[in-house]
Every structure is written in structure tokens, then in C-alpha cells.
Amino acid sequence: MLKVFNRMLCITVACLFTGATPTLAENVIEDGSIGMSLEELAFLIDKWTPEMKNAAANDPGDRVELLSQAIANKKVAAQVENIDPASASEAYWRHIYSIRNMDTRFVTKQFVDSLEMPDFEPLAQERYQTEKKKYAFVAEERIVSHILIMCGAPACSRDERRPEAESILAELQRGANFEELVAVHSEDPGSKAKGGRFDRWFRLGEPEVSPHFTGGAFEIENVGDYSGLVESQFGFHIIRLDDVRPEHYKAYEDVKDVIVASLRKEFVELSTKDFYAGFRMTGDAVVDDAALDELLAPYKSE
């Protein structure tokens, strides 16, 4: 897969993400070492309530007050630079790492948003052929009818009710009418009024259907045939196979969007991994091993 995407990328990470720092207009407000640019103020004002915007636009006093609050917030935030990291509390480092992680996520998202997506159609067609079962396979589905002799443990004795279920099955095997026996014997209120119809198609291993029930249904060879007695947590089932949808593969056009979405996700993940790798520690890095050994000493295995 990496080789395939390397062919498709055909451009470097540096080409995909400029990383250039945006050039801001000159400050609209300056107060000592603190200033606010046109872009910065535009973002802030956009987040003000309608009442705040109206007040700043129409009342000079309110405008000064709102801008003063904005400058005060920026001045207070800047005080973090005056904290001595050597004597800072754990809360300081939680704050620093929180901001650093947010910055990392922000820059990574900027990179992802700047990616130029290639045409995935040729690779999607190839993927359809090489991984057809993953993307296009539809397993066999069956629909059945059943008679249920209710016998839930522990209140019901299976040994006591088994002869009744076996008798009904024997009648069916002798040619009795299934729907008539449903009306007389079935204790499943959901399907009894519909001639025993289990009103949904299902696959082998369907998570929402008892595995004993689906297993019994898929052991029946021909449409119209019956299962033996099938036991589930509900009791005894006698199942009739009503119809089968054979396993098949969906056409390419039916799954193209799913494959393209998968390829797009892979492309983004690989590109992001390459981007991040460009910032890993280089061979020119200098590490104070003695200091690290001291930090890690409490965790060293004996």
C-alpha cells in the first residue's frame, strides 16, 4: 500500500504544506509591548454578541471599554512568560503541555486541510479487484417462518415440553399444513399472526438474532424444507426455509464511494505520518544523558 501511495503522491510533504507564517497588517491598537492587529481584532469582534458590536460601533465610551478588556486579557495572558519554569508548579506544566498539544493538533489540521487530493478513481478500480471480498461481498441471506414452543429456563422443563415439539415436527414431516400448526401451537406472538413468518432477512451470525436460530436456519438445504428441533433461550423452534438470497458481489459503482473514502483516509494518514516524521529529533540533537538517567532512575528495573 505504501508503494502505491508513494506513486500517487509524486510530491513531497514540503510541497503540500508551506508552513509559512501569515503576514499580519500593522497593529490597530498598541499599548506598550502589547498590540492587536487588524486580523486579530476582526476575529474578536466577529465573536462579540450583537449587543457588544452595536455598543462598540455607536458609543465611543463602550468601544474603549470593550477594547480595554481585550488588551487586558492579552496582557494577563502574556504574564505566563514571566513564570520561571525552574520553580513552576505542576499546574504550569499541565498548562504548557495543553497549549502545546493544541498547537500540534492545529498545525496538523492545517497541513491536512492543505493536502491536494489525487484522483483516486484508478486506484479504487484496482482495489475493487484486489479486495473485492472486503468491499463488495454480500453474504447469503435467508428468510424463514417458525413455530415456537416457549420454554425459557429455569421456569420451564425442556424435558417436559420436548415431546410436544417433536410431535409437531412429525406432523409437518407427514405433510400437515404449516400455517395451521402455527395457529394452533406457536407461542411466539410476534410471528403467530403472520403464519409464523420471521419478518426479516438475516445472515449466518447475525448479531441481533439467536445464533442457535440462525444456525438451524442455515442447516436447511432447500426452500420449503424444515429444520429439526432447534433450541434457543426461548424454547424449541421448528423452522421452515422460505427463501434465499445467494451470496454475491456488489457492482463497482455501488461501492466506489466507500472505496474512495477509504483511500482518502489512508492517503491522509500516510501523508500526516510523513509530515510528522519531518519534525522528529535529528542526528544533531544534543542529549544530557546524565540528567536523563537521574530523572529515570526511579523507574529503572533492578
Side-chain angles (χ1 to χ4, degrees), residues 200-254:
R200 62 175 292 181
W201 290 85
F202 57 85
R203 302 174 185 180
L204 186 62
E206 189 88 15
E208 297 178 3
V209 183
S210 166
H212 299 287
F213 188 88
T214 58
F218 271 80
E219 287 179 358
I220 304 172
E221 292 187 4
N222 303 303
V223 171
D225 287 350
Y226 300 105
S227 68
L229 288 188
V230 175
E231 293 190 48
S232 76
Q233 67 269 37
F234 303 108
F236 297 98
H237 305 265
I238 300 169
I239 304 170
R240 183 184 69 188
L241 179 59
D242 293 336
D243 204 357
V244 175
R245 290 174 179 166
E247 64 179 45
H248 63 280
Y249 290 94
K250 294 180 181 178
Y252 170 72
E253 290 299 325
D254 293 334

Side-chain angles (χ1 to χ4, degrees), residues 6 9 11-20 103-115 267-281:
N6 284 338
L9 280 168
I11 45 178
T12 66
V13 169
C15 295
L16 287 170
F17 184 66
T18 62
D103 286 345
T104 299
R105 289 193 294 271
F106 174 75
V107 171
T108 302
K109 186 177 185 306
Q110 293 293 107
F111 163 73
V112 170
D113 290 346
S114 73
L115 281 172
F267 180 83
V268 169
E269 289 175 350
L270 288 170
S271 300
T272 303
K273 184 178 180 180
D274 286 346
F275 168 71
Y276 195 82
F279 294 93
R280 295 181 66 85
M281 192 164 63

Side-chain angles (χ1 to χ4, degrees), residues 4-269:
V4 173
F5 274 112
N6 284 338
R7 295 201 308 268
M8 294 181 64
L9 280 168
C10 72
I11 45 178
T12 66
V13 169
C15 295
L16 287 170
F17 184 66
T18 62
T21 302
T23 302
L24 300 179
E26 293 183 0
N27 287 338
V28 176
I29 304 172
E30 287 189 358
D31 189 10
S33 62
I34 298 296
M36 298 188 76
S37 69
L38 179 67
E39 291 82 0
E40 189 175 359
L41 274 171
F43 177 83
L44 175 64
I45 292 171
D46 181 63
K47 303 306 173 187
W48 281 353
T49 66
E51 293 76 16
M52 293 167 69
K53 293 174 182 176
N54 182 269
N58 296 288
D59 188 309
D62 287 341
R63 178 186 302 181
V64 170
E65 176 61 23
L66 287 166
L67 294 178
S68 180
Q69 290 177 10
I71 288 291
N73 286 340
K74 193 167 184 179
K75 286 181 178 179
V76 171
Q79 296 307 301
V80 74
E81 298 175 3
N82 298 328
I83 298 175
D84 180 11
S87 58
S89 66
E90 182 180 340
Y92 168 83
W93 289 111
R94 283 201 301 267
H95 171 75
I96 293 299
Y97 274 96
S98 175
I99 292 175
R100 189 175 299 166
N101 289 335
M102 285 193 295
D103 286 345
T104 299
R105 289 193 294 271
F106 174 75
V107 171
T108 302
K109 186 177 185 306
Q110 293 293 107
F111 163 73
V112 170
D113 290 346
S114 73
L115 281 172
E116 295 181 11
M117 295 295 165
D119 179 11
F120 291 110
E121 178 78 16
L123 186 55
Q125 292 177 351
E126 178 183 328
R127 187 68 59 89
Y128 175 76
Q129 296 298 331
T130 58
E131 299 185 39
K132 197 171 184 178
K133 188 163 187 176
K134 174 182 177 181
Y135 291 105
F137 179 72
V138 179
E140 178 183 312
E141 294 179 309
R142 296 189 167 197
I143 192 165
V144 301
S145 297
H146 75 134
I147 296 171
L148 171 63
I149 304 303
M150 193 85 73
C151 191
C156 176
S157 168
R158 295 282 170 110
D159 290 338
E160 290 180 4
R161 299 218 67 184
R162 188 184 304 275
E164 179 184 353
E166 289 175 342
S167 174
I168 297 168
L169 178 58
E171 286 189 61
L172 288 170
Q173 291 171 340
R174 289 193 297 268
N177 183 275
F178 179 82
E179 284 75 14
E180 290 178 1
L181 292 183
V182 168
V184 174
H185 297 288
S186 184
E187 295 171 349
D188 177 17
S191 65
K192 184 172 184 176
K194 297 176 286 188
R197 186 76 158 185
F198 189 78
D199 202 14
R200 62 175 292 181
W201 290 85
F202 57 85
R203 302 174 185 180
L204 186 62
E206 189 88 15
E208 297 178 3
V209 183
S210 166
H212 299 287
F213 188 88
T214 58
F218 271 80
E219 287 179 358
I220 304 172
E221 292 187 4
N222 303 303
V223 171
D225 287 350
Y226 300 105
S227 68
L229 288 188
V230 175
E231 293 190 48
S232 76
Q233 67 269 37
F234 303 108
F236 297 98
H237 305 265
I238 300 169
I239 304 170
R240 183 184 69 188
L241 179 59
D242 293 336
D243 204 357
V244 175
R245 290 174 179 166
E247 64 179 45
H248 63 280
Y249 290 94
K250 294 180 181 178
Y252 170 72
E253 290 299 325
D254 293 334
V255 296
K256 179 180 71 173
D257 290 346
V258 174
I259 300 176
V260 168
S262 176
L263 292 173
R264 182 185 179 94
K265 182 174 181 289
E266 292 175 29
F267 180 83
V268 169
E269 289 175 350

